[in-house]
Amino acid sequence: MAPFEPPEVVLTGFKERVEAFAIQGDNLYIGTANGNLSVYSIVDPADGKTYTITHLETKKNLTRKAIDQLGFVKDINSLVVLSQSQVTLFNLPELSKPTPLSKAKSAFSFSVHTSVQHLYPDGKTIRPQGAEFGSPVIPVPTVITNLVVGCQRKLVVYSWKDGEAQDIKEAPLPHSARTIAFLNPEVVCLAYETDHVLFSLDTMSTIEIASAPTTSKSGASIGAVGMGAFTGLGGYMTLGLGAKLRPCVTNVSDAEVLIAKDNEGLFVGINGKPSRKVHISWPAPPEDVSFVKPYIFSILPAGSVPKAPGGDTGSALGQPTFYLSPVLQIHSSLSLLISQSLPFPFNPPQPTSLPPACKRQLYSAPLDIVSICQISLFLVSTPTDRATAAAEGSSIWCFRMKAWGAQVDELVNAGKYAEALALLNTIDPAVLPDKDRRTSLVKSLEAVSQFRAGEFDRALDSFVELNINPAKVISLYSYTISGRLAVPREQWIQMFGGPVSKLPHEASSPSSSSSEHDGSTEEPALPVQAAPPAVGIVSKLKNPLDAIRPSSSKDPEAASISSKRDKPRVDNFSRSVESLLRYLPDRRQKLLGALEAFHITPAQSNKHASLSDTSSESLRGIPDTPFPSLTPEQLVLCAQVVDTALFKSYLVVRPGLLGPLCRRDNWCEVAEVEEVLVAREKMHPKALELLRKLGEEETDVKDRLGPSIAYLQRLGPEYLDTVFQYSRWILDESSEMALEIFNSEETDLPPQHVANFLESVNPKFCALYLEFLIKERHEESYIYHDRLAELYLKMTVNAKKVEDEESREEAYDKLLLFVDSTTHYRVDRLLGLLPSDDLFEARAILLGRLGRHDSALELYVYRLHDYEKAERYCNRIHKPDGETCNIFLTLLRIYLRPLVRTTDNLLRPALDLIARHGPRLDPEETLQLLPPLVAASDVHKFLIGALRVPRFDARVVRSVALARNEQVARKLMYLEANRVKITDSRMYALCFFPT
């Protein structure tokens, strides 16, 4: 893509040697080696084809010697002139009253930057810290201009605010700045002779540039020749250039600068670190570098740039030929790829000899002065030979950028969608009014490119973001999914609004550089076909559907050889459908919400247009807008398209999810899926027979059974008979692996039918399946719990009949664990099924479930004679404050007061129970149950513990208190019964007075 029109000469025959150049408004300022300044007026006509340039005046001897550099300070409307290492300001337009900048002596270069900043009253762009929140401190827009001059080992900064001069700042430098480029109003890049640094105008200090490893993007395309082909051309490339090249630095954004260092163009950010992981690699150091957003111009010396292959028939075979004149290369700053190469001279009339040696300099126009779509960049060429320069003079070439829309169109036509998007992001909407429309279009084309490259998730996410019509998205899939909406691959771009594809192998964007074969989602019209023979079933059946897809190999031997050499093919069809299963449910929910706003439900489908009666073109013609903005008729059609595609996708990769979809109200069009259903149902038995035959060749059980199991797992309830029929041989081979068919999360087979089938094959298989339902799926229905308990009971009884003691113990242990650990079965029903003369422990557990603990303990003691289990049973159900607080006393009563005649000595287990669980027994009742002949020493610990019980201690205290009260009362009665005779002769013992 060539972003610029062919360059044209705007001025030729300029007899003086041009040393400096500047553009301001419609005026061109040319500084010469004689110190003269010529002023021209340049006008861009309405037709946009040719320029009109008019000589206005020439200031003779403006300076004594050559004018090295020109600039413009807008605040004070002055021209900046660097000559004789002195910077001087001249007023415009008279160019009078020169004002030498006294502190800018011994100057090598300067740079001017003007910006509008919003300053607070303290002169800073940051809100003052002392200002209260909500206070009326409003920043004021201020025009700030900085003139930075690189002098002998120092930097001088002149600045103006709204035209008022500010204090001059100086900073010492270790070297002299040969070139200066602004990154932003606060940071500049300084180029020394051999090094580069950043300089902060706020802190007046340098920032070192860190070097980091980067990846180069070569600026030349040399075909089969390596980079080493240029290593011997160093002397030749610099031959005849005269003085040493000036360091090349140019600003490419507000936070980035391009530094030309030898053959490499490095991008550096304002922090001094590389801003990109890649850099530009030129075949030789450029003579000059400039930037016109978003393109980088560089002038490369003669003999350094190779010609395109086939450009020179006289070159030796395999050897590249080079341009014998300098070449202007234009790189895109977005992709760093070469956009255009122009050898000098740009429009020669078939030269017969080498062009004369010239000095070339690039000058870009300020973007705030000249429209970037008009005069963008000037190139000044001056012959280095004095005689030639005197005869021909200097020439000024103008490069005009093509219209933005034309550039975007060229990138789209070339399939470079990512680069087109990056270019659109740099364009101001004021320059390109239809930017939003173009951006949406290119994004959709980029998504199609990603889909073609196999990046299905990214592509579908982009379609969702852009609100692309679902009919268009589904048209990208094969006939199995899209049906009559299917569109050939070569028409995808055109369907999404892109240019018509001329060739099937047209260029594609970097993001879609993958081969068409790798990104293919094509799939045969019939969804199920025979699989090709191969060496191993594991390698050829990565997906069960691979067994029923057509073979692409013609010769088995050749296919075997190529399979060893080629990489295994990725199943892009299944991957694309899996991605579609993320896209369609999202669109379905959005559509249902939009339809609800119009009170439209699937039950009203007969009132709307049918999908079968609508043409494919009409479906794809539905606008790419959010669903709420569509009409009700368009919404219904979109819903039918989405639900029909969702049904087909489930049918291909997730058959088990068809049931939930069909049980809900949906917009699926039966006529659209009937053909697929009929064809698919007929082919399943053939595919399964083929998998079984292929599996017989394998020795490993996983390789033999795995493909058939994976295939059966994807068949839904509608193929239940087929699943049962072809799972029998797998059950015979490995029941554990066969149960994976019915335990899969992909299908939802009816559990009752599966249990009936497995029980007919082997009750053990049914028990394993019911265990899965209860443990893994947390099934709590009594139907499955009752059935599992009955199966355990049935297996136990049958094993006893055939005298298989090992199987009986295994089944009986499972029964005991099940009835003791779950509560979701009907206890009374199972209790009635137990034999009366066997399985006493199971009966005891069930009796305990019914609350008949005494009967359960009697079975443990009288039937099982297992006193330890009886004690554990009491431990498990004992609750101190509940109904079972006396369960240990009940067990003791069963021991010491047996209700049946027994020959067992139950005194010993009774005494052990008293010893271990004495605190849980009532002391009085326990002592009453003990036989008279039991010695106190046998229950010594129990008696000691009983006496320590607080209840007994209270009784003692109460008895002592009662005895004490009785003693005091008797003494009181005795004292009250005594009589004393009082006379005059008796004296009171304390006071000796008569009483």
Side-chain angles (χ1 to χ4, degrees), residues 795-796 799 804-812:
M795 293 162 58
T796 303
D804 187 355
E805 188 62 27
E806 182 179 354
S807 298
R808 178 190 178 279
E809 289 183 2
E810 180 182 358
Y812 189 43

Side-chain angles (χ1 to χ4, degrees), residues 561 582 638 770 815 928:
I561 295 174
R582 291 193 314 104
C638 286
L770 293 174
L815 175 62
Q928 291 176 5

Side-chain angles (χ1 to χ4, degrees), residues 137-453:
V137 180
I138 302 175
V140 179
T142 306
V143 178
I144 296 180
T145 299
N146 289 320
L147 169 61
V148 179
V149 183
C151 302
Q152 182 75 28
R153 293 192 176 185
K154 72 174 181 177
L155 201 69
V156 182
V157 180
Y158 294 85
S159 59
W160 293 264
K161 288 185 180 181
D162 289 336
E164 295 183 3
Q166 305 297 308
D167 294 338
I168 303 173
K169 300 180 181 179
E170 296 185 24
L173 296 176
H175 306 284
S176 301
R178 305 289 177 169
T179 306
I180 303 173
F182 275 86
L183 278 77
N184 56 39
E186 290 80 24
V187 180
V188 296
C189 179
L190 307 180
Y192 303 146
E193 286 188 351
T194 58
D195 200 4
H196 300 77
V197 295
L198 299 184
F199 188 87
S200 173
L201 300 182
D202 286 341
T203 61
M204 297 299 290
S205 60
T206 58
I207 304 173
E208 296 295 330
I209 295 178
S211 60
T214 56
T215 304
S216 65
K217 285 200 175 183
S218 177
S221 176
I222 1 171
V225 180
M227 291 301 296
F230 298 112
T231 55
L233 300 178
Y236 176 74
M237 285 187 291
T238 58
L239 184 64
L241 294 180
K244 192 174 182 180
L245 293 178
R246 180 173 58 92
C248 298
V249 177
T250 184
N251 167 263
V252 293
S253 71
D254 290 341
E256 196 175 33
V257 68
L258 173 65
I259 298 175
K261 196 170 185 179
D262 297 330
N263 292 35
E264 296 179 346
L266 307 178
F267 294 90
V268 179
I270 58 176
N271 57 358
K273 298 180 180 179
S275 57
R276 305 193 191 186
K277 295 182 180 180
V278 294
H279 63 265
I280 299 176
S281 180
W282 290 294
E287 296 179 3
D288 200 2
V289 173
S290 186
F291 178 76
V292 176
K293 185 179 181 180
Y295 298 102
I296 300 171
F297 288 74
S298 55
I299 299 177
L300 301 177
S304 63
V305 180
K307 295 182 180 180
D312 188 355
T313 57
S315 60
L317 182 62
Q319 296 295 327
T321 57
F322 300 87
Y323 288 108
L324 300 180
S325 62
V327 176
L328 175 66
Q329 275 192 351
I330 304 175
H331 289 76
S332 169
S333 65
L334 307 175
S335 64
L336 302 188
L337 298 177
I338 297 177
S339 300
Q340 199 170 354
S341 293
L342 299 170
F344 185 84
F346 303 122
N347 50 358
Q350 299 296 333
T352 57
S353 61
L354 295 180
C358 297
K359 177 183 178 182
R360 290 153 296 276
Q361 289 181 287
L362 294 170
Y363 300 94
S364 59
L367 298 185
D368 59 340
I369 301 173
V370 180
S371 172
I372 196 171
C373 293
Q374 298 175 354
I375 302 174
S376 300
L377 182 130
F378 293 91
L379 183 144
V380 179
S381 61
T382 303
T384 55
D385 181 70
R386 291 187 177 181
T388 306
E392 299 181 0
S394 300
S395 299
I396 299 178
W397 302 79
C398 179
F399 293 82
R400 178 163 44 180
M401 187 186 296
K402 294 180 180 179
W404 289 114
Q407 296 184 52
V408 174
D409 291 340
E410 288 187 12
L411 290 172
V412 170
N413 292 335
K416 300 178 180 180
Y417 308 119
E419 190 171 347
L421 281 175
L423 178 61
L424 282 168
N425 291 334
T426 65
I427 301 175
D428 191 340
V431 179
L432 189 65
D434 60 344
K435 175 182 176 180
D436 293 339
R437 182 192 64 81
R438 288 178 177 271
T439 301
S440 299
L441 172 62
V442 177
K443 282 185 177 180
S444 64
L445 298 180
E446 172 70 4
V448 174
S449 176
Q450 293 169 350
F451 189 92
R452 180 180 293 172

Side-chain angles (χ1 to χ4, degrees), residues 892 896 907-908 910-912 914-915 926-927 930-931 934-946:
L892 183 62
L896 301 179
L907 180 60
R908 187 70 264 166
L911 294 177
D912 293 341
I914 293 173
T926 300
L927 293 176
L930 287 175
V934 174
S937 59
D938 294 337
V939 291
H940 178 265
K941 292 183 178 179
F942 169 73
L943 295 175
I944 295 300

Side-chain angles (χ1 to χ4, degrees), residues 707-782:
S708 295
I709 291 174
Y711 190 97
L712 290 170
Q713 284 177 333
R714 299 193 175 190
L715 298 182
E718 62 273 16
Y719 306 109
L720 197 60
D721 294 337
T722 304
V723 173
F724 290 162
Q725 178 183 353
Y726 289 94
S727 62
R728 283 183 177 272
W729 74 274
I730 303 176
L731 286 166
D732 296 337
E733 291 274 348
S734 173
S735 59
E736 182 179 355
M737 292 185 62
L739 287 176
E740 296 178 5
I741 300 173
F742 311 103
N743 299 345
S744 173
E745 297 292 338
E746 297 186 16
T747 58
D748 188 16
L749 301 178
Q752 287 284 21
H753 292 76
V754 174
N756 294 337
F757 165 71
L758 293 176
E759 187 174 1
S760 66
V761 178
N762 191 331
K764 184 178 180 181
F765 300 160
C766 182
L768 293 174
Y769 175 71
L770 293 174
E771 289 174 0
F772 167 79
L773 291 179
I774 294 172
K775 294 180 181 178
E776 300 298 330
R777 295 189 179 178
H778 307 289
E779 185 61 62
E780 296 182 354
S781 174
Y782 70 88

Side-chain angles (χ1 to χ4, degrees), residues 29 51 63 86 219 262-263 291 381 404 415 433 445 457 486 509 531 556 588 650 667 690 712 714 830 833:
Y29 298 89
Y51 292 95
T63 60
Q86 173 66 53
D262 297 330
N263 292 35
F291 178 76
S381 61
W404 289 114
L445 298 180
D457 288 335
S509 65
R588 188 172 190 269
Y650 282 156
W667 291 93
L690 175 63
L712 290 170
R714 299 193 175 190
L830 183 60
L833 297 177

